[in-house]
Amino acid sequence: MSLEILPVVGIGDVVPGDDLAALIAGAAPWLRDGDVLVVTSKIVSKAEGRLVEVPADGPEREAARAEALAAESARVVARRGPTTIVQTHHGFVMAAAGIDASNVDKTHLVLLPADPDASARRLRAAFAARRLDVAVIVSDTMGRAWRNGLTDVALGSAGIAPLRDHRGEVDPYGNELHITQMAVADELAAAGELVKGKRDQVPVAVVRGQPWGSPEAADAGAAVLIRDEASDMFSLGTAEARAAGLRAAATLPAAGTAGAALDPAVAGRAVELVRPHLADGTVVEVTDAGVRCVPPPGGGARALIRFGADVHRLRAALLAEGVATAVVDTDGDAVLLTATAV
Amino acid sequence: MSLEILPVVGIGDVVPGDDLAALIAGAAPWLRDGDVLVVTSKIVSKAEGRLVEVPADGPEREAARAEALAAESARVVARRGPTTIVQTHHGFVMAAAGIDASNVDKTHLVLLPADPDASARRLRAAFAARRLDVAVIVSDTMGRAWRNGLTDVALGSAGIAPLRDHRGEVDPYGNELHITQMAVADELAAAGELVKGKRDQVPVAVVRGQPWGSPEAADAGAAVLIRDEASDMFSLGTAEARAAGLRAAATLPAAGTAGAALDPAVAGRAVELVRPHLADGTVVEVTDAGVRCVPPPGGGARALIRFGADVHRLRAALLAEGVATAVVDTDGDAVLLTATAV
């Protein structure tokens, strides 16, 4: 199997209400059944009127931009300097919610299509009405963690399976393949970007020769490429997650039902972490019942206050190990930290 | 500009010491000057003998695997269940340091090439010795944050610029482009993957028609695609960063030089966060001097211990706002939290 990646030139400026299928078919009379169209989301948004009017400059422009960002965002993922990475209502994690001020006049911002899979399906149907059986990918440029430079990915798709599944396949040596699923739609979007410009002269690329996968898998749409927050190991920026940890320490439940056993190895790690930071005279030991903390004998109010902080340090260290604690008063002024019954 | 993506079939099994250029040139006599070869890192590693002998199964195999992972890893980025994502000594953030047990017999693991840019340069030079002027990308499959499915990216490159720079370009509307750099080498690796198999039958793809960029930019190699840890907003997994925040709370410096002003708005946010968790009778107020904390009047030892925890909660909440604090003893048993002079 070999592929051709062909640019579609001459589409020109797209305005709300434009018939994209007509524009693309007019610019690419050479389209064939089986082709995959990679369409830049920008022209889909423009045709669909996903534009926000904004002042051309000044603080009003910034305010309007911030308002659009808030409206498009489901949650903030990370912030650093002028960069805000959010998860959009669609589920995409993108800088500035994918809102773009380039390739549009200065009095408008372009939002992402409201439902890129639906946009892709509509476009595919419009080509079908012209008796052309093409698959459609709606693409956009995205940043990523760990690597410099941006790549294009698929926001929406129709007619083609976004994932290629290798689960259960066996290599020539009899090993089951570790790689489970390849994000074919993202790779096609990336391939398309190579022949497209960044200045809207070439908003569409055609990939010729790519199999579409099973019709059932094709029905899923590019939404299957969105990893849900719960199964994402990088759902928050590092600084934001670290701050969340500090806030968890600040808001540890005061009460808690004691009872669960505390793994001595885990307790030992927490104690070793905190030990260099304990107040003079505080005694901490790991016992079968939990972590026993004893204040300095005959200490005054100041010593007891510092001891209280020591106890809280230990609770934070234990939570860092995944152990929620209850504080149990024992003999004298001593305190016992036990795991809470979850 | 249009592209062709062509598979190179018939390379067969690669073993240490093989002359990759000879194998590829033999399988693809149709190669031309200007082509970009996308070569799966697996066959580069095999030719270079980057193999580790391991038992075929049992706990010894797992131990050998863990040892190889530790040797290839510079640091652990995130862990969940059986998945360990590390940063390799090269700087790549990859599950299991890119160590692979597929497409190799059961008594070996395949490591990444020691220096993929050098591998790419050597391969390009070997083709030059055969009077073929081709660029080379050494590719591998990588997971990513936020999106399901894997894509191929460039670990090494020679002869072609890995990044396409759009900085300073202006769109037809006069807007400066926001997008700064496209990761062309990663997009080429992704395009190549579309025609390659996952079972080593097709370990090389050829991209025909792709401009190489400036020779200076080409010299950089794919190492420029590695984002350094400090400028990466996702340098740690969310759970790991949250635990780091908890550990920071557990190990707050006990001492600190008071003196810096504490922004009342910031202090107010920290106090509001903690207020529902304060012990009965603890009084906290934001003053010009800092956050003043007063224990319940006439409280006994237990009350003072709980008050000490309250003070530590506030310090954690303030650090979540980016403010390191010093604890200053004041009148009676009251305590003042001030920002530390950094």
Side-chain angles (χ1 to χ4, degrees), chain B residues 269-339:
Chain B
R269 280 201 299 274
V271 168
E272 286 323 301
L273 177 74
V274 172
R275 196 177 292 287
H277 302 275
L278 295 175
D280 282 348
T282 292
V283 174
V284 172
E285 52 183 359
V286 179
T287 72
D288 286 350
V291 178
R292 185 176 153 81
C293 312
V294 188
R302 294 292 179 203
L304 289 168
I305 293 170
R306 275 168 214 156
F307 174 72
D310 288 342
V311 171
H312 204 75
R313 286 177 187 276
L314 285 161
R315 295 187 71 201
L318 283 159
L319 192 56
E321 300 280 345
V323 180
T325 48
V327 186
V328 182
D329 293 341
T330 62
D331 53 300
D333 302 330
V335 152
L336 185 71
L337 296 179
T338 72

Side-chain angles (χ1 to χ4, degrees), chain A residues 267-287 291-294 310 313-314 317, chain B residues 247 250-252 254:
Chain A
R269 281 203 298 276
V271 169
E272 286 323 300
L273 177 74
V274 171
R275 196 178 291 289
H277 303 275
L278 295 175
D280 282 348
T282 292
V283 174
V284 171
E285 52 183 359
V286 178
T287 72
V291 178
R292 185 176 151 80
C293 312
V294 187
D310 288 342
R313 287 177 187 276
L314 285 162
Chain B
R247 283 192 201 98
T251 59
L252 281 172

Side-chain angles (χ1 to χ4, degrees), chain A residues 103 144 171 173 186-187 193, chain B residues 103 144 171 186-187 193:
Chain A
N103 293 302
R144 58 256 172 98
D171 72 19
Y173 298 89
D186 283 348
E187 295 191 322
E193 199 283 326
Chain B
N103 293 304
R144 58 255 173 96
D171 72 19
D186 283 347
E187 294 192 321
E193 199 281 326

Side-chain angles (χ1 to χ4, degrees), chain A residues 40-46 48 50 72 90 92 110-117 119 122 138-140 155:
Chain A
T40 303
S41 77
K42 179 78 55 70
I43 64 166
V44 174
S45 294
K46 283 178 160 183
E48 294 179 353
R50 288 278 291 164
E72 292 294 299
H90 322 83
F92 304 124
V110 184
L111 310 178
L112 295 184
D115 180 348
D117 277 331
S119 301
R122 278 196 297 272
V138 174
S139 71
D140 207 339
L155 302 187

Side-chain angles (χ1 to χ4, degrees), chain A residues 3 5 13 103-104 144 147-148 150 171 173 175 183 186-187 193 225 252 302 306 313 329-330 332, chain B residues 3 5 13 103 144 147-148 150 171 173 175 183 186-187 193 225 252 302 306 313 329-330 332:
Chain A
L3 297 179
I5 322 280
D13 203 19
N103 293 302
V104 67
R144 58 256 172 98
R147 292 181 71 74
N148 291 319
L150 311 174
D171 72 19
Y173 298 89
N175 305 299
D186 283 348
E187 295 191 322
E193 199 283 326
L225 295 170
L252 281 173
R302 294 290 180 207
R306 274 168 214 156
R313 287 177 187 276
D329 293 342
T330 62
Chain B
L3 297 179
I5 322 283
D13 203 20
N103 293 304
R144 58 255 173 96
R147 292 181 72 73
N148 291 319
L150 312 173
D171 72 19
Y173 298 88
N175 305 300
D186 283 347
E187 294 192 321
E193 199 281 326
L225 294 171
L252 281 172
R302 294 292 179 203
R306 275 168 214 156
R313 286 177 187 276
D329 293 341
T330 62

Side-chain angles (χ1 to χ4, degrees), chain B residues 94-268:
Chain B
M94 290 177 84
I99 300 170
D100 202 347
S102 65
N103 293 304
V104 68
D105 73 86
K106 288 180 193 300
T107 64
H108 288 93
L109 300 176
V110 184
L111 309 178
L112 295 185
D115 181 346
D117 277 330
S119 302
R121 283 193 301 269
R122 280 197 296 272
L123 197 49
R124 172 162 151 75
F127 277 101
R130 295 170 168 268
R131 303 191 177 284
L132 260 178
D133 187 22
V134 296
V136 173
I137 288 173
V138 174
S139 70
D140 206 339
T141 304
M142 239 186 228
R144 58 255 173 96
W146 318 322
R147 292 181 72 73
N148 291 319
L150 312 173
T151 64
D152 271 21
V153 301
L155 301 187
S157 73
I160 184 164
L163 291 165
R164 191 204 307 136
D165 208 322
H166 292 280
R167 282 175 292 195
E169 288 181 26
V170 171
D171 72 19
Y173 298 88
N175 305 300
E176 196 167 319
L177 290 186
H178 278 274
I179 286 155
T180 53
Q181 295 186 305
M182 293 302 297
V184 172
D186 283 347
E187 294 192 321
L188 287 165
E193 199 281 326
L194 291 166
V195 306
K196 292 198 282 185
K198 272 281 160 264
R199 283 171 286 181
D200 262 16
Q201 299 95 328
V202 187
V204 180
V206 173
V207 180
R208 182 163 286 170
Q210 174 69 30
W212 291 3
S214 76
E216 308 81 63
D219 276 349
V224 298
L225 294 171
I226 297 172
R227 184 171 296 163
D228 65 290
E229 190 183 333
S231 62
D232 194 339
M233 293 160 81
F234 299 88
S235 59
L236 265 187
T238 300
E240 286 72 15
R242 184 174 177 278
L246 283 161
R247 283 192 201 98
T251 59
L252 281 172
T257 310
L262 188 52
D263 180 333
V266 169

